[in-house]
Amino acid sequence: MFKNFSRNSADENANSNVLPLAPQDSKVIAAQEKAASDQQELIEFLELKSQLHDALLYRFNFSIIDKVLPDELRREVANLVSDFLAQENKPVRSEEFKRIVNELMHEVLGLGPLETLMSDSDVSEVMVVDPSTIYVEKGGKIERTRHHFIDEESCRAVIERIVTPLGRRIDESAPLVDARLPDGSRVN
């Protein structure tokens, strides 16, 4: 069928001006693949943490949580995480297990994802835009962090935990608050 097929010399001349596509730099491709992989890992981690957070809320009596010693609470949280992961057949590395337990402890007793940022001496300001967007100021430069709240509710709970002891409240009728923490830090 194609025996009599021949190229037209005009077509060859027209195509001579077309440059072949340059292969992308392998470093660029590797960086893009790593970024996509990191994003997927973060999504999976947040989903797992959300499931564990729900299990924690179901299992613990938070009305007496302040009466439980932190080490005992940490053991209980670690047991919950271990049981949940075994039941769901979701193995995790040791450092990831510790990270999950620490972050859940921060959510129960502290300021959730803000806890590690607040304890970083290089951070001069923490700015929460929404549950998934948190910025910090370090050395005069503002940068976005990889820290996230699990959801809107956990973000709101941390805000309440910050402003309630200060005699302030925040809700839809009063969505902004300006106050000082006992250590002198400003909350806005």
Side-chain angles (χ1 to χ4, degrees), residues 2 13 21 49 53-54 56 60-61 67 73 90-91 99 101-102 107 157 161 164 166 168-169 177:
F2 292 104
N13 289 338
L21 291 176
K49 201 169 99 173
H53 188 261
D54 290 345
L56 189 71
F60 285 20
N61 180 355
K67 296 174 180 75
L73 182 60
K90 292 184 178 182
R99 178 180 171 200
V101 171
N102 285 337
E107 288 180 25
R161 217 173 287 145
T164 300
L166 304 174
R168 303 292 178 93
R169 69 182 186 95
V177 66

Side-chain angles (χ1 to χ4, degrees), residues 164-183:
T164 300
L166 304 174
R168 303 292 178 93
R169 69 182 186 95
I170 190 164
D171 56 30
E172 278 140 25
S173 66
L176 300 174
V177 66
D178 192 14
R180 293 240 175 237
L181 295 175
D183 71 355

Side-chain angles (χ1 to χ4, degrees), residues 30 34 52 66 68 79 90 92 108 112 119 122 133 138 145 154 165 168 178 181 183:
K34 172 129 178 55
L52 285 163
D66 57 339
V68 179
N79 287 338
K90 292 184 178 182
V92 296
V108 171
S119 64
D122 293 334
T133 311
K138 283 185 175 183
T145 71
S154 64
R168 303 292 178 93
D178 192 14
L181 295 175
D183 71 355

Side-chain angles (χ1 to χ4, degrees), residues 8-138:
N8 184 340
S9 61
D11 289 342
E12 286 179 18
N13 289 338
N15 289 334
S16 66
N17 294 331
V18 177
L19 297 175
L21 291 176
Q24 280 194 323
D25 183 7
S26 61
K27 290 179 183 177
V28 171
I29 293 171
Q32 290 170 338
E33 288 172 352
K34 172 129 178 55
S37 173
D38 288 350
Q39 183 69 18
Q40 183 59 35
E41 233 177 76
L42 177 63
I43 290 168
E44 289 171 7
F45 180 79
L46 290 173
E47 286 173 356
L48 174 62
K49 201 169 99 173
S50 179
Q51 292 170 336
L52 285 163
H53 188 261
D54 290 345
L56 189 71
L57 292 174
Y58 178 76
R59 184 168 167 181
F60 285 20
N61 180 355
F62 285 93
S63 64
I64 61 165
I65 202 92
D66 57 339
K67 296 174 180 75
V68 179
L69 295 173
D71 288 341
E72 186 179 334
L73 182 60
R74 180 173 292 282
R75 274 191 302 279
E76 287 297 318
V77 170
N79 287 338
L80 172 92
V81 171
S82 182
D83 292 348
F84 182 87
L85 293 173
Q87 182 180 13
E88 297 292 319
N89 195 24
K90 292 184 178 182
V92 296
R93 297 181 311 272
S94 174
E95 61 272 2
E96 190 174 8
F97 180 85
K98 289 176 186 173
R99 178 180 171 200
I100 291 168
V101 171
N102 285 337
E103 288 188 17
L104 287 171
M105 287 294 294
H106 290 319
E107 288 180 25
V108 171
L109 297 176
L111 302 177
L114 304 182
E115 196 75 34
T116 54
L117 300 173
M118 299 284 285
S119 64
D120 184 343
S121 61
D122 293 334
V123 172
S124 57
E125 188 170 350
V126 178
M127 296 154 273
V128 179
V129 176
D130 58 46
S132 62
T133 311
I134 302 172
Y135 289 90
V136 294
E137 182 178 329
K138 283 185 175 183

Side-chain angles (χ1 to χ4, degrees), residues 53-54 57 131 149-160:
H53 188 261
D54 290 345
L57 292 174
F149 285 95
I150 292 174
D151 54 25
E152 184 85 28
E153 185 179 330
S154 64
C155 180
R156 187 163 295 163
V158 166
I159 293 169
E160 288 292 330

